[in-house]
Amino acid sequence: MKVTILATYEPHAAKGLMQGSNREVAIAALFESVGGRMNSLMFTRGLYDVIVNGEVPDQIAGMGMTLAVRASGSVSDLVVLEELDMKAVIAAANKAAGAYKPAG
C-alpha cells in the first residue's frame, strides 16, 4: 500500500535536525521495521516540514508506524494519506448508492 506522510516537527525535533540528525536514515529504518520501504523524503516550507512517500504492507503496518511516531512526541501534526484503488471504491459506492435510502 502506498502512503504519503505529512508532518510538522516539534521545536525539540527541529533542534535535533539542526544538530545533524539524519532523518533519511531514521525514516527509512522506520518503514523497514514494519516491512515497508521509503521511496522519497522532502523537506518543505509551509504548513508541513516534511513529506515522505513510501510503501507499507497494509493498514496495520501504516498505523503502527504512525502510532510510534506520534508517541515519540517529535511531531505536532502528522497526516497519513493512503493510496486508493478508485475503481474498487467507485464499484462499492455504486452498490451502496443502490441500497441507501436517504431520510425524508
Side-chain angles (χ1 to χ4, degrees):
M1 176 175 82
K2 292 181 182 179
V3 295
T4 297
I5 300 170
L6 312 168
T8 303
Y9 285 118
E10 285 289 338
H12 73 276
K15 185 176 181 181
L17 185 65
M18 291 172 58
Q19 294 171 343
S21 178
N22 188 331
R23 303 322 304 151
E24 188 167 359
V25 169
I27 295 167
L30 174 68
F31 271 84
E32 290 167 9
S33 74
V34 297
R37 151 183 104 156
M38 181 185 75
N39 295 328
S40 68
L41 168 67
M42 179 172 55
F43 292 96
T44 59
R45 183 177 64 123
L47 185 60
Y48 297 101
D49 297 322
V50 63
I51 299 173
V52 180
N53 289 299
E55 298 175 36
V56 292
D58 51 37
Q59 284 184 323
I60 293 169
M63 290 308 299
M65 264 187 356
T66 301
L67 186 58
V69 171
R70 285 186 194 280
S72 76
S74 62
V75 296
S76 59
D77 195 6
L78 181 68
V79 176
V80 179
L81 305 171
E82 301 171 0
E83 182 181 51
L84 297 174
D85 175 351
M86 272 316 282
K87 287 182 181 180
V89 170
I90 290 169
N94 284 326
K95 283 182 185 179
Y100 180 68
K101 304 293 183 232

